[in-house]
Amino acid sequence: MLRTALRNVFAHKARLLMTVFAVMLGVTFVSGSLVYGDSLHRAAAARATDGYERIAVSVFPKDSRDSPNQPGGPAGIDAGTVNTLAKVPGVAVAAGRVTGFAAVADREGRLLGHGSSHKGGNFAPGTAGTDPAYRFTQGSGPTGEDTIALDETTAAKGGFRVGDTVRVGTNQGASSYTLRGIFRTDGTTLPAGGSLTLFDDATAQRLFLQPGRYQNVDVTAAPGADAQQLLGRIESVLPEGTGAATGAQLARIQENLATNDSDTMSQILLGFAAVALFVATFLISNTFTMLVARRTRELALMRAVGASRKQVRRILLTESLLVGAVASAAGLAAGTGAAALLQTLFAPADAPAGPLVLTPGTVITSLLVGTALPMVAAWLPIRRAMAVPPVAALSAAEPAAPARTGSLRTGLGAALLVTGIAAAGYGALTSGRDSRTVIGLGAALTLTGTIVLIPLLARPFVALVRPLLTRLHPVYGGLAARNTVRDPRRTGATAAALAIALTLASGLSVLGASAAQYLDRATTHDFTADYLVKPAEGGMRMTPDTEAALRKVPGAAVSPLHQSTEYRLAGTPSVLTGVDPATIGRLLRYDVVEGSLDRLAQGQIAVAEFKARAAGWRVGQTLPLQRQDGERGSVTIGAVYRADEQSNLLPSITAPDSLVARYDSTPHTAAILVGMPGGPGRTARGDVTRALGDNPALAVLDQAGIRAQDSGSIGDQLNVFYALLSMALAIAALGIANTLAMSVLERRKEIGTLRALGVDRAGVSRMIRLEALVLGGLGAALGTVLGVFLGWALGRTLQESVAGYALVLPWGRLALGVLVAMAGALAASTRRASGPRTAGPSATSSTSSTPC
């Protein structure tokens, strides 16, 4: 049986080649996703735990409020505790550490580094004059308040050398420093993609904490000392409110935190791999269906000469197993290469670097998926082959294709489609936590029902486009229409693969366009100022000095957005945003529905409509106010305005900054709105930037900058998803090519008859291309309609919590998807239509060319 299966595979190698390629693409996606995810996971874990081996014990305050961004919290660990730790038996070095936010500017004033990890720290030399956390490649550590040291990556990006002047911004403002040294360090102090600036001990404490205080202490063990025993000795001398942990314990915590993102990316990639494999299943099943139909006489003759059904079944399953084995091995190799390409070209700028990781689990999973998929997909065609009686070997007629679908299949498909549409519609029109789950279930049922019903839908679709086909060419268009519906099941299976890919692409397009328009409107519609000043990256905290500097710009209208938390208004947890009542009406668009915004100047507050409706508040009502620290008071509602619950600019509660200052001496300044007398422009931006002290940690954004910052990430993510879905589209195009190839082989006598009647090669090619366009059009039409419907349903679930979200149909993207599908179908037909082996007049012979 193995020899027979091998002979059959080689005899039909041309027909199986695209099936092998489809399986290989699916396995490439799976193996590439696993290799890329494992590599990213391993690299992230290695980067996060890098350097913890040098830390035997870390000492830190137990109160989590101790942070450089919370100046009201505890003042960390004093220098006396550090000296005490240095005298504990088994301690080699006890280095007090201070860290905070520090942003470095390049020579043009632009921020260096990616992500939100712009860190500053202290250089803590021991008795030997060195700090075990840093290895200097040029110069040495900072020695005064006007000197710094930079990590080598940041120095290289900025083109800095020892002795250069470097502009650094912190929470205390921006200053220029002399670069004294360039160093290498590990993941404990410099996250991937960030920058690290070292100051001397006193300067770092002044900038980030308090003089003479440290946030934590890194303890290095003496040679031969056990970390666990050292932890016990250290805990016995620690003051109250201070804790300790070994470096190994901290490394495990950091590893778990660092690998969450890589695990999420792996799950997304595997989801798209599942789509690609699902699409490939249709191609494989279709191919084996056509192969079995083509080999009806061969299989029946095998039965006639004594082969049992089990033997024939084993031969066919062995053929599918061989196809899967070859495709799996090729896909595993290609997937490893694809992962290397992803790691080189598409890795995030702040992603840690590392080698490719090919685990035994990845190899086994890829081989199992690649070999099992063809066998599962071929099972139904093989069952049909078993129903062929041996007497069929005596017939010279070609096997007839099924003219119509069965009533059971039609009823089942209709039930699934109606149920799926009803479930998705119900989930879209009702609110609740489970609405998206209901829509997901409805989407699965809708897709399944559509796939089952596609053979039935093929006939009305072809009838709809037949006038267009006959207008393109009366003869070949009519022949293409009849050939397409000759085998509705084969046509449906081929179009289904394309429909699945287009459904996902169209749904993503609808959601992406709707979300992008919503974000664009939400971020710029309410913004009437000229500039928004905010921290360029996370970690920066604006101070009152920032606002005071902007108020010195001639003619500028300035209003901060002071966010003050931990309030309860009439028992409802609330956040008050303090603004300047005199200028806020010019800088933000308030759509007041009741009351007046002028009442802010009288000490009253304005409340967003969704907040007032949820709490049952109204204009003129006085609400009791209570802070978490126990301070009490009252406020009066002076206005109610429309605002989006997810808006980044319009707050839920707007209060005069004098009211916020009465209850909170250190509110958080989220941003500062600036209106210039002459409007936005290069000169106005320069005036604002200079007023801020050319601080690289502060971003000055106009409307275009806000729009790009808030909505640009959606476009980037959609582009990645479209690139991943192109794999499914490629497999669907292969399915069309395979269908047309098998169709040409099955119709050799028919094509030969046409050639004998005077049809030239160009006419046959035109007919086959028109068939491909019909197949592509069917899949594209169904996929686009389903994608728009599912995109609408998912979008409806956002309208309850995102005011102003509305359905947007991206006609350009939808049309582009249809054009890509049609172009792929046409490209898939090119070789089949124009190849030199297209049947000629001699093919009218009734001699079968199928090997036995």
Side-chain angles (χ1 to χ4, degrees):
M1 286 188 295
L2 180 60
R3 287 197 301 270
T4 303
L6 283 171
R7 181 185 64 81
N8 288 336
V9 168
F10 284 109
H12 303 290
K13 56 182 179 293
R15 306 174 191 178
L16 291 170
L17 183 61
M18 280 180 288
T19 300
V20 171
F21 193 46
V23 177
M24 187 191 77
L25 284 177
V27 174
T28 297
F29 217 146
V30 172
S31 59
S33 301
L34 292 173
V35 171
Y36 180 72
D38 290 341
S39 302
L40 198 61
H41 183 102
R42 181 84 54 91
R47 177 70 184 181
T49 58
D50 180 32
Y52 278 97
E53 67 277 0
R54 66 173 171 79
I55 301 176
V57 177
S58 179
V59 178
F60 47 84
K62 289 183 179 180
D63 195 326
S64 60
R65 290 179 298 170
D66 183 26
S67 165
N69 296 325
Q70 296 288 345
I77 300 173
D78 60 35
T81 302
V82 177
N83 294 331
T84 301
L85 293 173
K87 298 176 183 178
V88 173
V91 172
V93 178
R97 300 294 181 196
V98 181
T99 59
F101 177 83
V104 182
D106 64 10
R107 298 183 186 277
E108 304 298 325
R110 294 168 300 198
L111 184 67
L112 285 173
H114 298 279
S116 58
S117 300
H118 301 279
K119 296 181 63 176
N122 65 315
F123 177 65
T127 55
T130 60
D131 189 327
Y134 310 108
R135 303 177 298 280
F136 281 84
T137 58
Q138 297 180 39
S140 60
T143 56
E145 63 178 9
D146 59 347
T147 62
I148 60 169
L150 290 177
D151 68 276
E152 61 178 358
T153 301
T154 304
K157 289 178 180 178
F160 295 123
R161 297 182 179 180
V162 173
D164 288 349
T165 299
V166 182
R167 191 77 173 169
V168 180
T170 67
N171 286 332
Q172 306 301 322
S175 300
S176 296
Y177 300 86
T178 300
L179 182 61
R180 183 174 175 83
I182 298 174
F183 58 87
R184 293 177 181 174
T185 187
D186 48 50
T188 61
T189 52
L190 178 60
S195 63
L196 176 60
T197 307
L198 290 184
F199 303 85
D200 73 296
D201 226 34
T203 303
Q205 290 173 338
R206 174 176 57 82
L207 291 174
F208 305 134
L209 196 60
Q210 293 180 13
R213 314 292 290 191
Y214 299 93
Q215 288 164 327
N216 63 284
V217 182
D218 290 343
V219 176
T220 303
D226 179 75
Q228 202 63 41
Q229 294 178 354
L230 189 58
L231 175 64
R233 298 190 199 115
I234 287 175
E235 287 179 332
S236 64
V237 300
L238 288 180
E240 185 179 355
T242 306
T246 64
Q249 292 172 332
L250 295 177
R252 286 192 294 270
I253 295 173
Q254 292 300 318
E255 180 178 355
N256 292 333
L257 294 174
T259 54
N260 285 337
D261 291 341
S262 62
D263 292 342
T264 301
M265 175 59 69
S266 298
Q267 293 170 3
I268 293 174
L269 290 174
L270 287 175
F272 280 97
V275 173
L277 290 173
F278 188 52
V279 172
T281 303
F282 288 93
L283 189 155
I284 299 165
S285 179
N286 213 20
T287 299
F288 273 94
T289 298
M290 291 184 288
L291 279 175
V292 169
R294 181 71 180 167
R295 296 163 58 190
T296 300
R297 290 193 296 273
E298 173 191 346
L299 299 176
L301 185 58
M302 291 175 64
R303 294 281 309 283
V305 298
S308 66
R309 289 183 179 225
K310 289 184 179 180
Q311 288 175 318
V312 176
R313 183 186 297 114
R314 289 172 186 170
I315 290 172
L316 294 175
L317 285 175
T318 303
E319 291 179 25
S320 64
L321 178 63
L322 292 172
V323 168
V326 173
S328 299
L332 180 60
T336 305
L341 187 64
L342 282 173
Q343 195 177 43
T344 303
L345 299 179
F346 301 108
D350 56 351
L356 284 180
V357 177
L358 181 62
T359 64
T362 297
V363 175
I364 294 173
T365 300
S366 301
L367 294 179
L368 283 178
V369 167
T371 53
L373 182 63
M375 296 180 69
V376 172
W379 177 253
L380 186 58
I382 291 173
R383 283 195 59 190
R384 293 177 186 151
M386 296 304 96
V388 177
V391 73
L394 304 177
S395 173
E398 291 285 348
R404 60 186 177 84
T405 57
S407 58
L408 178 61
R409 178 189 179 107
T410 302
L412 177 62
L416 290 173
L417 181 62
V418 171
T419 304
I421 292 175
Y426 175 79
L429 298 175
T430 58
S431 60
R433 294 182 305 172
D434 300 329
S435 59
R436 293 176 190 172
T437 303
V438 173
I439 292 175
L441 178 61
L445 294 175
T446 301
L447 275 175
T448 305
T450 303
I451 291 168
V452 174
L453 284 179
I454 279 185
L456 183 67
L457 299 174
R459 286 186 179 276
F461 179 81
V462 172
L464 182 65
V465 300
R466 183 189 290 270
L468 178 60
L469 294 175
T470 54
R471 180 172 298 182
L472 291 173
H473 198 285
V475 176
Y476 305 130
L479 288 173
R482 285 195 293 271
N483 290 333
T484 304
V485 296
R486 172 181 294 181
D487 190 343
R489 288 184 179 178
R490 184 171 66 194
T491 299
T494 305
L498 197 59
I500 294 170
L502 260 296
T503 297
L504 295 175
S506 301
L508 283 174
S509 296
V510 171
L511 282 175
S514 302
Q517 177 171 293
Y518 157 73
L519 285 176
D520 182 48
R521 190 194 65 80
T523 55
T524 60
H525 176 268
D526 302 324
F527 181 74
T528 56
D530 295 319
Y531 295 106
L532 179 73
V533 177
K534 60 184 297 187
E537 300 284 354
M540 173 69 179
R541 182 181 177 90
M542 290 192 291
T543 64
D545 293 338
T546 308
E547 178 186 345
L550 289 172
R551 292 190 181 277
K552 295 179 181 179
V553 178
V558 178
S559 176
L561 297 178
H562 290 314
Q563 288 186 348
S564 185
T565 60
E566 300 178 348
Y567 288 96
R568 297 187 72 86
L569 294 181
T572 302
S574 303
V575 176
L576 268 63
T577 300
V579 300
D580 185 348
T583 60
I584 192 62
R586 173 188 168 186
L587 303 175
L588 284 181
R589 180 181 288 110
Y590 281 83
D591 185 6
V592 178
V593 295
E594 189 179 359
S596 173
L597 201 64
D598 295 337
R599 295 179 184 175
L600 290 175
Q602 303 172 15
Q604 299 181 6
I605 64 173
V607 181
E609 189 177 28
F610 70 86
K611 180 82 172 179
R613 184 169 57 252
W617 298 339
R618 63 186 183 277
V619 170
Q621 183 177 357
T622 299
L623 305 176
L625 176 149
Q626 181 180 358
R627 280 185 56 83
Q628 190 174 9
D629 57 12
E631 188 171 356
R632 297 176 181 272
S634 63
V635 293
T636 301
I637 300 177
V640 173
Y641 55 90
R642 292 191 180 94
D644 180 13
E645 191 171 350
Q646 306 297 327
S647 175
N648 293 329
L649 292 176
L650 277 182
S652 60
I653 300 178
T654 304
D657 48 12
S658 58
L659 177 65
V660 170
R662 186 187 312 165
Y663 297 100
D664 191 346
S665 59
T666 58
H668 168 62
T669 305
I672 300 176
L673 301 165
V674 181
M676 300 297 289
R682 180 176 299 179
T683 302
R685 181 187 290 272
D687 292 341
V688 173
T689 302
R690 283 190 294 274
L692 295 172
D694 294 318
N695 194 334
L698 294 174
V700 180
L701 303 176
D702 55 11
Q703 279 204 356
I706 297 173
R707 184 183 298 112
Q709 187 179 76
D710 290 343
S711 61
S713 59
I714 291 182
D716 295 339
Q717 292 175 1
L718 285 177
N719 289 335
V720 172
F721 292 156
Y722 292 146
L724 295 174
L725 285 174
S726 64
M727 183 75 75
L729 285 171
I731 296 175
L734 287 175
I736 294 175
N738 217 18
T739 297
L740 294 174
M742 298 298 292
S743 178
V744 169
L745 289 173
E746 290 180 0
R747 294 152 49 198
R748 288 175 61 86
K749 288 189 289 187
E750 173 193 331
I751 295 174
T753 301
L754 292 174
R755 294 291 307 281
L757 293 175
V759 178
D760 57 6
R761 288 178 180 269
V764 174
S765 299
R766 190 176 294 113
M767 178 184 68
I768 295 174
R769 289 194 182 99
L770 289 175
E771 292 179 31
L773 289 176
V774 173
L775 287 172
L778 176 59
L782 289 174
T784 302
V785 171
L786 287 176
V788 170
F789 170 70
L790 295 177
W792 165 81
L794 287 172
R796 284 279 306 181
T797 64
L798 300 175
Q799 291 180 341
E800 187 71 20
S801 58
V802 182
Y805 179 93
L807 176 69
V808 175
L809 294 181
W811 297 108
R813 290 183 185 178
L814 295 177
L816 179 62
V818 172
L819 288 177
V820 169
M822 301 291 286
L826 191 61
S829 70
T830 299
R831 185 176 181 275
R832 303 303 161 193
S834 60
R837 290 182 173 82
T838 301
S842 61
T844 55
S845 169
S846 62
T847 304
S848 174
S849 62
T850 305
C852 295

